[in-house]
């Protein structure tokens, strides 16, 4: 049993003032594997004060000092990869494929930010005006449990590159991963107070951070409902906001798509991270003229996605994160049937042979209209829908008829045609004949998927304020 009872404030591991303990679970066994002492409002206030003190000098640090710090963070995160891997598997059931493909993005975030800084000009001239890009100030970073190491690294990298200081509040469901992140930060010789990391309840610590007058910016990754609450909280003090929220991404298979490559790719993205990925393509849009062929290829392709123990390297779909999430996904599967959709594969209950653990069967619905709730709401489990379209116009119209707009995919043998379609999709990212973005690209959404962009120059500038000096 693990007992995690320290937070990281002002360069030190300290016992929080909060006295509440949260249980930690292994979703593959449903067993309690430890407990964590949560920070409270007093801890949050102390962390903001530490970040404010540190801002006075860190905001004046040179570009070279920040580049060196980012490189140290990258090296420090790289040296803990085995520990991160083990924690992701144990704490949220991440499978080998996800860990191997996604985790390397964490140290990469620091290297990308360092490289960007080399050429970024903090002082720019426009006519008679000098524009000085100043660090925004104390930044609160609030992260979800899924891929938390990568999202946390991304936000830390942006803020450090800009010269802003941080209070990071990770999810209560990623305490083990957070412990290793905190140790990696400490080992990177970060000046005290520049990065503070406190895990506590969103309604307690999150509330302090999103209302505190000394916090200039909130960068949040999580659900749309919490994003809306954060925006309301931030209104009184006009905090700068980056909100990376949910999604219901379309994967469009145009009528000339190569199904032997596009369908395995669509399923990989749809089931990624056990179906718990904001940018997953959970609506597969298929040409009606090839519907039987598409459904046949999907049905046989899904058998390659083995559900089961995340410790087993041959598993593609592990458990969902919690009992609450398991119950919610099961409700959606029942809802789909009540709405009149049909099951192509999967269904309610655990996959055969698994009696324990929050395992969901990889499930795909057909006979779905885009108006059904299973086509409009983020399910956050391995549950996909196939929606037919008549022609390109209808494909675009269905893709855009969504409250969300985070990421979309277009598959076609004709890249120019796919590009034309891509330009008409309302989403922050549209991928053509691929399912993972380029690490040079900005990331973020439109509509209920959020506000702002991370990564690249856009991400760096989200932690900066332009000051115009005109003489
Ligand atoms: P969540 O919104 O429940 O929690 C995210 C974080 O917000 C946690 O740290 C939580 O403690 C905190 N929080 C909760 N209430 C708060 C409040 N009132 N004030 C401040 N903070 C509060 O999300 P989750 O279940 O951890 O993650 C899943 C969700 O995150 C999904 O909707 C998913 O799509 C989304 N997500 C989005 C992205 C993206 O980049 N767009 C990436 C990953 C996950």
């Amino acid at each position: 049993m693990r007992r995690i009872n320290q937070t990281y404030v002002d360069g030190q591991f300290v016992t929080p003032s909060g006295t509440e303990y949260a249980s930690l679970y292994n979703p593959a066994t449903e067993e309690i594997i430890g407990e964590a002492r949560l920070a409270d409002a007093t801890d949050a206030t102390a962390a903001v004060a530490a970040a404010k003190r540190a801002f006075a000098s860190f905001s004046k640090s040179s570009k070279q000092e920040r580049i060196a710090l980012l490189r140290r963070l990258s090296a420090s995160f790289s040296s803990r990869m085995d520990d991160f891997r083990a924690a992701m598997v144990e704490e949220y059931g991440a499978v080998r494929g996800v860990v191997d493909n996604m985790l390397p993005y964490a140290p990469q975030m620091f290297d990308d930010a360092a490289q960007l800084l080399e050429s970024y000009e903090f002082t720019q001239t426009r006519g008679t005006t000098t524009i000085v890009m100043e660090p925004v100030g104390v930044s609160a970073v609030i992260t979800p449990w899924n891929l938390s190491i990568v999202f946390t690294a991304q936000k830390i990298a942006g803020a450090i590159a800009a010269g802003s200081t941080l209070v990071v509040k990770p999810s209560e469901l990623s305490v083990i991963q957070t412990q290793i992140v905190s140790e990696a930060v400490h080992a990177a010789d970060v000046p005290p107070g520049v990065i503070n990391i406190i895990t506590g309840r969103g309604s307690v610590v999150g509330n302090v951070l999103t209302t505190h007058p000394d916090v200039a910016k909130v960068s949040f990754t999580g659900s749309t409902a919490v994003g809306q609450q954060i925006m309301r909280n931030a209104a009184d003090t006009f905090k700068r906001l980056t909100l990376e929220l949910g999604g219901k991404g379309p994967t469009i298979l145009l009528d000339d798509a190569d199904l032997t490559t596009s369908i395995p790719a669509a399923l990989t993205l749809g089931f990624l991270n056990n179906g718990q990925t904001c940018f997953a393509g959970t609506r597969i849009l298929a040409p009606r003229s090839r519907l039987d062929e598409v459904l046949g290829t999907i049905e046989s392709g899904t058998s390659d996605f083995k559900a089961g123990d995340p410790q087993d390297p041959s598993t593609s779909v592990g458990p969902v994160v919690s009992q609450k999430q398991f119950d919610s996904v099961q409700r959606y599967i029942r809802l789909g049937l009540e709405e009149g959709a049909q099951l192509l594969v999967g269904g309610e209950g655990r996959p055969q042979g698994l009696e324990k653990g929050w395992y969901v069967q990889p499930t795909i619905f057909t006979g779905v209209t885009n108006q059904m709730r299973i086509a409009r709401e983020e399910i956050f489990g391995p549950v996909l829908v196939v929606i037919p379209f008549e022609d390109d116009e209808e494909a675009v119209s269905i893709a855009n008829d969504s409250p969300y707009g985070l990421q979309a995919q277009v598959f076609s043998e004709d890249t120019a045609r796919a590009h034309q379609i891509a330009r008409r999709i309302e989403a922050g990212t549209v991928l053509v004949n691929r399912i993972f973005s380029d690490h040079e690209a900005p990331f973020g959404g439109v509509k209920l998927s959020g506000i702002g962009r991370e990564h690249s120059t856009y991400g760096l500038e989200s932690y900066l304020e332009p000051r115009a000096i005109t003489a």
Side-chain angles (χ1 to χ4, degrees):
M1 286 281 273
R2 291 162 194 272
R3 201 174 154 87
I4 295 174
N5 51 17
Q6 292 198 309
T7 55
Y8 184 66
V9 177
D10 216 2
Q12 293 185 322
F13 287 93
V14 294
T15 303
S17 134
T19 52
E20 182 190 352
Y21 276 87
S23 296
L24 313 177
Y25 292 88
N26 180 337
T29 60
E30 302 180 29
E31 279 163 11
I32 293 181
I33 52 172
E35 59 177 11
R37 184 165 171 165
L38 298 179
D40 66 7
T42 305
D43 299 305
T45 308
V48 172
K52 186 180 177 185
R53 281 193 301 276
F55 184 73
S57 58
F58 190 65
S59 58
K60 308 277 185 302
S61 57
S62 70
K63 210 155 93 161
Q64 288 315 318
E65 285 168 329
R66 288 180 219 161
I67 290 170
L69 176 51
L70 288 163
R71 296 287 185 200
R72 291 202 300 278
L73 283 163
S74 170
S76 186
F77 272 59
S78 293
S79 75
R80 301 298 301 269
M81 287 308 238
D82 288 344
D83 299 322
F84 284 140
R85 275 191 199 97
M88 285 170 75
V89 174
E90 185 183 17
E91 196 164 37
Y92 82 84
V95 299
R96 170 71 71 85
V98 163
V99 173
D100 287 352
N101 286 315
M102 306 303 288
L103 191 53
Y105 283 112
Q108 180 77 46
M109 295 292 173
F110 299 113
D111 287 328
D112 288 351
Q115 197 185 336
L116 179 64
L117 268 194
E118 298 277 3
S119 58
Y120 187 78
E121 296 296 344
F122 283 87
T123 303
Q124 301 160 19
T125 308
R126 302 270 195 285
T128 53
T129 298
T130 303
I131 301 165
V132 187
M133 300 300 283
E134 297 285 356
V136 66
V138 174
S139 300
V141 156
I142 302 178
T143 49
W145 57 268
N146 66 324
L147 297 175
S148 70
I149 299 162
V150 176
F151 291 122
T152 305
Q154 182 172 43
K155 291 173 192 297
I156 292 177
I160 293 295
S164 291
T165 57
L166 302 112
V167 179
V168 182
K169 193 217 83 68
S171 165
E172 308 87 304
L173 298 177
S174 57
V175 181
I176 300 172
Q177 295 160 83
T178 297
Q179 174 74 13
I180 306 164
V181 166
S182 305
E183 289 166 8
V185 164
H186 187 64
D189 201 15
V190 180
V194 169
I195 304 174
N196 307 276
I197 305 176
I198 53 170
T199 300
R201 299 259 174 232
S203 54
V204 180
V205 172
N207 197 52
V208 171
L209 297 180
T210 54
T211 52
H212 199 297
D214 289 339
V215 172
K217 177 190 168 83
V218 179
S219 179
F220 170 74
T221 296
S223 62
T224 295
V226 172
Q228 289 163 332
Q229 180 58 46
I230 287 175
M231 195 165 191
R232 283 190 281 270
N233 283 358
D236 283 347
T237 44
F238 289 126
K239 296 190 193 319
R240 277 48 183 155
L241 290 176
T242 301
L243 302 174
E244 299 286 358
L245 311 176
K248 192 77 185 178
T251 295
I252 306 174
L253 308 173
L254 292 180
D255 57 13
D256 66 346
D258 173 3
L259 300 186
T260 60
T261 53
S262 58
I263 287 184
L267 295 176
T268 299
L269 183 62
F271 294 140
L272 190 72
N273 215 23
N274 314 335
Q276 304 162 119
T277 308
C278 52
F279 55 84
T282 46
R283 291 183 296 151
I284 298 177
L285 308 193
R288 198 179 288 282
S289 58
R290 296 180 72 189
L291 191 57
D292 288 347
E293 196 189 343
V294 168
L295 295 182
T297 314
I298 289 179
E299 191 175 1
S300 58
T302 306
S303 59
D304 293 338
F305 288 80
K306 187 181 145 205
D309 183 357
Q311 302 279 1
D312 177 348
S314 68
T315 297
S316 319
V317 184
V320 295
V321 70
S322 63
Q323 178 78 52
K324 191 170 155 223
Q325 193 61 23
F326 177 81
D327 293 342
S328 163
V329 177
Q330 297 296 333
R331 269 197 304 279
Y332 271 110
I333 296 174
R334 282 196 294 281
L335 174 71
L337 294 170
E338 284 159 23
E339 288 184 304
Q342 292 108 46
L343 288 167
L344 179 67
V345 288
E348 255 191 274
R350 289 182 174 78
Q352 222 181 359
L354 293 169
E355 306 303 325
K356 239 183 159 1
W358 295 310
Y359 293 101
V360 175
Q361 296 184 59
T363 295
I364 302 189
F365 280 106
T366 60
V368 176
T369 71
N370 200 43
Q371 300 315 312
M372 291 180 182
R373 282 181 58 196
I374 55 166
R376 303 195 79 75
E377 297 175 18
E378 185 184 52
I379 298 174
F380 228 54
V383 180
L384 314 180
V385 299
V386 181
I387 305 174
F389 62 83
E390 293 298 336
D391 53 22
D392 290 5
E393 281 309 306
E394 197 185 17
V396 171
S397 147
I398 294 171
N400 289 341
D401 178 15
S402 170
Y404 294 104
L406 189 59
Q407 181 175 299
Q409 297 66 232
V410 185
F411 285 91
S412 168
E413 287 295 275
D414 179 346
T415 313
R417 176 180 171 211
H419 254 274
Q420 292 294 327
I421 301 282
R423 292 181 78 106
R424 297 173 61 195
I425 305 295
E426 295 161 4
T429 299
V430 188
L431 304 176
V432 173
N433 293 334
R434 59 192 286 171
I435 55 170
F436 293 110
S437 193
D438 180 334
H439 73 109
E440 302 272 339
F443 180 73
V446 298
K447 301 194 273 186
L448 290 191
S449 293
I451 290 179
R453 296 292 180 271
E454 294 194 272
H455 213 68
S456 76
T457 314
Y458 299 92
L460 169 62
E461 291 187 343
S462 77
Y463 291 94
L464 294 168
E465 284 283 4
R467 178 177 302 148
I469 303 170
T470 305

